[in-house]
Amino acid sequence: MKTLKSLIHCFFLLLVCISNAQDMQEGFTYLETGNYAKAETFFDTILKDYPENKTARLCYGRAVGLHGDAEKANALFTDLLKDYPNDFEVKLNYGESLLWNKNFTAAKAYYQDLVTEAPESFPALLGYANTLSNLKEYESALTYVNKALDVSIGNPNAMVSKKYIYLGYAYQNQQSQNYTESERLLTKNIELFGEDKETLMNLANLYLITNELDFAKGTYDRLAEDSSNQLEALNGLALVSHLGGKEKNALKLSEEAFSKITDSTSTALTQQTTERYIQALIWNKKFKQAKTEIATLVEQQPNENWILALRATLNIYKSNFKQSLEDYDRILVNDSTSFDGNLGKANALKAMGYYDEAYTSAENTLKFYDNQKDAKNFINILDTYFSPASDSRASYTFDNGDNKAYSFNTNVSFPLSTRFSLLGSYNYRTTNNTVTKNKANSNDVSVGLSYQLLHNVTFTGTTGLTSANAQSTDYTQLLTNVFFNIKPFKLQTLDIGYKREIQSFNADLLDREIVQNNIYTNYNLGTNFNLGWFTQYIYTTQNDGNARNLLFTSLYYNLLAKPSLKVGFNYQYITFKDQVPTIYFSPEKFNAGEVFLNIIKDENASKPNQLFYELTAATGLQYIEDGAKQSTYRIQAKLGYKFSERCMANAFGTRSNIASATAAGFTFTEIGLRLKWILTNKPVYKR
C-alpha cells in the first residue's frame, strides 16, 4: 500500500505542478518530503481562503490521510467525489483512502470498477493488486501486479509490491503446511530480487519449520555474505545449532553476535540478539548467568513481554513452573494475544499437571494464530497422551538353570478424561525346565483405574486373577497393585504402593503357588546440575512364611541431553528371613554394586519414520552372604522404529548374571518384540 501512496502522490503532484499557481509549492514540498503535519496545516490555511479549490482539497485530503487520520481523509474524498464524480484522479485518491481505512472489501469492488474503466491505468492496476494482496488473494494480486508492470515495465513501486505479494503468498502456503509451494514462491522471489534479506529470512524460517536444518544453515550462511546482515545470520545459526542438539555451538554463535552489538544497532535487532544470547545460556544450563542478564533487563524495563518471556523460560528449564506461570500471566495481561504468553502458559500448566487448562491455553493460541504449527503440535501431543492405547510385548527367556519361558503381555489404557482412565492387562506365560521336564503356564487378567486426585497426586489401582496350571496343582489367586504417584516438590517423584503377585519365573516356582505381598516405595530426585538419584525399597512377605527386604539405589549423572547419555553407580542390598536356596534365591544377605552407562533416544522424543534406541552396559561385583566376590555384567538394549505418531515397534534384549535378576539366581537372557499402538486419533472425550 505504501508504494501506491507514493505513486498516486507523484502522479498527483505532477498534474498539480503543471496546472496550479506556484503559491502552493511549499505545501507540495511538504507532501513530497513526508512532512504531513505541516502539509495538513498549510492546505487547511489555503482552504480557508479558497474552500472550493480542487487541488487544495486533494492535497489536504492526502495530508490528513498520510498523517494518520484515515477516517477523516475518506470523508474528505467522499465529498470530493460527489463534486467531481467523473474525475479519475479523485477516484484514485478515494480508492486509496479505502486502503488507509483497511476497508479492503469495499476497495476491491471500487478498484474493480476503476480497472474496467481504465484498463491501462497503472495506478488503478497497482492499487487493485495491493488491495487483493491485503485480502490475501495472492494469485489474483500477482495477475494484476504483472498487468501493472506490463504498462510500466520495471516500475520500482510495482516491483516492491510484487515482492511482498510473493512473500505473503509463501507465508499463506506455509500456514496451510503447503511447504513445497511456499519454498517455490520464495525461491522465485530470490530469482526476481536476488539475495533479498526478507526473502532469505522467510526461507530459512520455512526450513526451520520443516526441520530441514542443513538447508536452514545454508540459507543463513547466504544471508551472512552481506556483512550488514551478520547479526540476523548469527542469531539464526544459533537457533539451528540448538535445534540440532549442538548447544555449545549455539552459545558460541550467540556470544559472537552479542559482542557485535553497538550503539548504532537498531533497537529491534539489539533485542533479538540479546534474547537469543540469553536463550543460549539457558539451553546450556548456565542458569546463574542467564538469571543475572535477565535481572539487569528487568531493572531497566520491568514489564516488557520479551523479558518476562525469557524469565519464564528460565524457570521452565529450572522446573520452577509456578514462577513461570506468573510471568506468562503478566505477559497476557499486557497483551492477551501474545504467542509466547499463551503457548508458554500451556507448557507450564502441562508440566504442573493442569491438563485441561493447558488445552485451553493452547487453543487460545490458535484463536490468534490460525493453524500455528507449535500450538497444533502441543495439542496433538496431549491428544496422543490421552487417547486409548495398547502396549504389547512377546518375549522368550532362558537361563543357565535350564529354564525356558515364553510370555505375552498386553496393557490397555482408556482415558475418559484428562484425570480418569480405565486400565486393563492380560499376561500369558508358559515355562518349562528341559532337565526336570517340569512345565507350567499362567494366565493373568487385571482391570483397574487411574485417577488424578490433585494436580501432583495420581492414584492407580488394578485388581485381577491369575490362573495357573502347574505340574502337581492348578489354582487361582488374586492379583492387585495399588499405588500413589506423588510429586511433592520440583524435580521429585514419589511412589508408594502395595502389590500382590505370584512367583512365576519358572515352572517349579509356579508349582509351589508362592504368593508375594509387596509394600514398596520409589523415590526419584533430579537436579538442575545434571545429577540424579533414584531409590527403591520393597518389603515382601510370602505365604510360605518367608520375608524379604530389598533396597536399590542409583546415583547418575547426565552427560548429554540429545541423545540422552548418562553414567552412574547402582547398589542393591537384599535380605531374606529364611534361606531356601534349593527352591529360590534367598540369601541371608546379598550386596551388589555396578557402574553403568546408558544411552537413549527416547521413543516419545522421536519423530515419525525415525529410529529410537536404548543401550545400557554395566559391570560390577556381587557378594552372596559371606562368599567371595563375584564379577557381574548386565547388557540391555532395544531398537525400534516409529511408524507414525500412533504406532511404534521395537526389539529388546537383556543379558545379566546378577543373582538378583531372577528369582532363581541364574544367569538370565531375554529377547522379545514390543508393539505400541494408539487406538484412536484423538481422545474419546473429544468425540
Side-chain angles (χ1 to χ4, degrees), residues 156-215:
N157 293 320
M159 290 299 289
V160 170
S161 286
K162 187 170 184 175
K163 179 183 112 172
Y164 285 104
I165 290 169
Y166 267 115
L167 288 174
Y169 202 6
Y171 181 73
Q172 185 183 64
N173 277 279
Q174 176 190 302
Q175 290 297 94
S176 300
Q177 299 183 21
N178 299 324
Y179 300 127
T180 302
E181 178 63 10
S182 181
E183 182 184 20
R184 185 192 72 80
L185 291 164
L186 292 170
T187 303
K188 180 66 175 177
N189 225 22
I190 290 171
E191 290 174 9
L192 291 170
F193 302 101
E195 299 288 86
D196 175 70
K197 176 181 176 179
E198 289 173 286
T199 307
L200 287 172
M201 292 284 285
N202 277 270
L203 184 61
N205 186 59
L206 175 67
Y207 290 138
L208 291 176
I209 290 170
T210 58
N211 203 40
E212 297 174 275
L213 300 183
D214 288 339
F215 286 127

Side-chain angles (χ1 to χ4, degrees), residues 2-13:
K2 185 182 288 186
T3 59
L4 183 63
K5 290 178 184 176
S6 301
L7 184 69
I8 293 179
H9 187 59
C10 295
F11 177 71
F12 164 72
L13 287 179

Side-chain angles (χ1 to χ4, degrees), residues 206-324:
L206 175 67
Y207 290 138
L208 291 176
I209 290 170
T210 58
N211 203 40
E212 297 174 275
L213 300 183
D214 288 339
F215 286 127
K217 181 181 182 301
T219 306
Y220 283 122
D221 285 337
R222 288 165 63 184
L223 188 68
E225 290 174 9
D226 184 339
S227 59
S228 66
N229 299 331
Q230 279 287 310
L231 289 183
E232 291 94 334
L234 287 168
N235 291 335
L237 288 168
L239 180 58
V240 171
S241 291
H242 165 62
L243 294 174
K246 300 175 182 177
E247 307 299 4
K248 290 183 179 179
N249 191 53
L251 181 57
K252 180 182 176 183
L253 291 165
S254 292
E255 287 174 335
E256 182 182 350
F258 191 63
S259 69
K260 291 179 180 292
I261 295 175
T262 66
D263 292 339
S264 62
T265 306
S266 70
T267 301
L269 190 52
T270 297
Q271 174 184 319
Q272 181 193 101
T273 306
T274 303
E275 185 174 25
R276 181 70 79 239
Y277 170 60
I278 295 173
Q279 287 171 341
L281 290 173
I282 295 170
W283 299 334
N284 283 271
K285 296 191 175 182
K286 295 183 180 295
F287 298 142
K288 186 176 181 180
Q289 194 174 344
K291 182 179 179 181
T292 300
E293 293 287 346
I294 292 169
T296 301
L297 292 171
V298 170
E299 189 175 335
Q300 297 167 353
Q301 304 173 77
N303 201 37
E304 282 292 317
N305 277 0
W306 70 278
I307 300 172
L308 294 174
L310 283 172
R311 190 167 66 183
T313 301
L314 174 62
N315 280 317
I316 285 282
Y317 270 74
K318 293 173 68 177
S319 297
N320 297 329
F321 302 120
K322 186 176 180 180
Q323 293 94 316
S324 179

Side-chain angles (χ1 to χ4, degrees), residues 5 8 24 90 92 212 273 296 309 319 324 340 370 432 500 504 512 519 528 546 563 583 585 593 609 641 663 675 679:
K5 290 178 184 176
I8 293 179
M24 291 193 194
V90 173
L92 287 173
E212 297 174 275
T273 306
T296 301
S319 297
S324 179
D340 288 335
D370 186 43
N432 69 86
R500 177 185 168 94
S504 62
R512 291 179 180 275
I519 298 172
N528 288 319
N546 212 344
I583 301 174
F585 182 71
N609 302 312
Y641 189 77
L675 174 66
L679 302 176

Side-chain angles (χ1 to χ4, degrees), residues 69 79 123 270 273 411 415 461 489 526 537 674 682:
D69 195 343
D79 291 340
T270 297
T273 306
N411 294 292
F489 305 103
Y537 173 72
R674 168 181 173 257
K682 64 174 63 176

Side-chain angles (χ1 to χ4, degrees), residues 384-404:
T384 299
Y385 184 74
F386 291 112
S387 292
S390 70
D391 196 335
S392 302
R393 294 162 57 101
S395 66
Y396 168 62
T397 62
F398 59 92
D399 61 39
N400 62 351
D402 302 309
N403 297 295
K404 295 183 178 180

Side-chain angles (χ1 to χ4, degrees), residues 336-565:
S336 63
T337 71
S338 167
F339 174 78
D340 288 335
N342 281 290
L343 193 57
K345 182 176 181 177
N347 277 293
L349 288 166
K350 174 176 174 283
M352 294 173 71
Y354 295 108
Y355 299 110
D356 288 330
E357 294 86 346
Y359 264 120
T360 300
S361 287
E363 286 158 359
N364 282 342
T365 309
L366 290 175
K367 289 178 183 177
F368 302 117
Y369 303 90
D370 186 43
N371 215 31
Q372 207 282 329
K373 187 177 181 181
D374 293 328
K376 289 182 67 177
N377 285 345
F378 180 89
I379 291 172
N380 287 339
I381 289 170
L382 282 180
D383 283 350
T384 299
Y385 184 74
F386 291 112
S387 292
S390 70
D391 196 335
S392 302
R393 294 162 57 101
S395 66
Y396 168 62
T397 62
F398 59 92
D399 61 39
N400 62 351
D402 302 309
N403 297 295
K404 295 183 178 180
Y406 297 90
S407 67
F408 172 78
N409 170 263
T410 188
N411 294 292
V412 176
S413 63
F414 199 91
L416 297 177
S417 72
T418 58
R419 299 182 66 181
F420 181 68
S421 296
L422 298 177
L423 306 174
S425 71
Y426 170 72
N427 182 67
Y428 171 75
R429 183 178 179 87
T430 180
T431 178
N432 69 86
N433 188 287
T434 57
V435 174
T436 65
K437 306 302 180 183
N438 199 356
K439 297 180 180 180
N441 62 69
S442 63
N443 289 272
D444 304 344
V445 178
S446 295
V447 294
L449 59 87
S450 178
Y451 184 70
Q452 186 186 41
L453 300 170
L454 301 170
H455 73 95
N456 62 338
V457 180
T458 300
F459 168 78
T460 301
T462 62
T463 187
L465 297 172
T466 181
S467 175
N469 299 305
Q471 188 80 5
S472 61
T473 183
D474 296 340
Y475 59 85
T476 299
Q477 281 284 355
L478 176 70
L479 302 174
T480 190
N481 185 18
V482 293
F483 66 93
F484 291 90
N485 175 264
I486 305 166
K487 296 178 180 178
F489 305 103
K490 75 171 187 176
L491 298 171
Q492 297 183 48
T493 304
L494 175 67
D495 294 331
I496 300 173
Y498 165 76
K499 185 175 184 179
R500 177 185 168 94
E501 60 185 345
I502 304 298
Q503 279 278 26
S504 62
F505 180 76
N506 59 36
D508 291 335
L509 289 172
L510 266 174
D511 197 31
R512 291 179 180 275
E513 195 177 350
I514 298 174
V515 178
Q516 292 186 312
N517 294 284
N518 304 288
I519 298 172
Y520 63 91
T521 182
N522 302 320
Y523 173 72
N524 190 69
L525 171 66
T527 68
N528 288 319
F529 46 89
N530 297 329
L531 196 66
W533 179 38
F534 173 80
T535 299
Q536 179 184 64
Y537 173 72
I538 305 174
Y539 175 69
T540 305
T541 59
Q542 299 181 171
N543 63 348
D544 65 352
N546 212 344
R548 178 190 67 174
N549 287 279
L550 184 153
L551 174 69
F552 172 84
T553 191
S554 176
L555 187 67
Y556 55 90
Y557 186 81
N558 293 293
L559 297 173
L560 291 176
K562 293 181 182 179
S564 172
L565 176 63

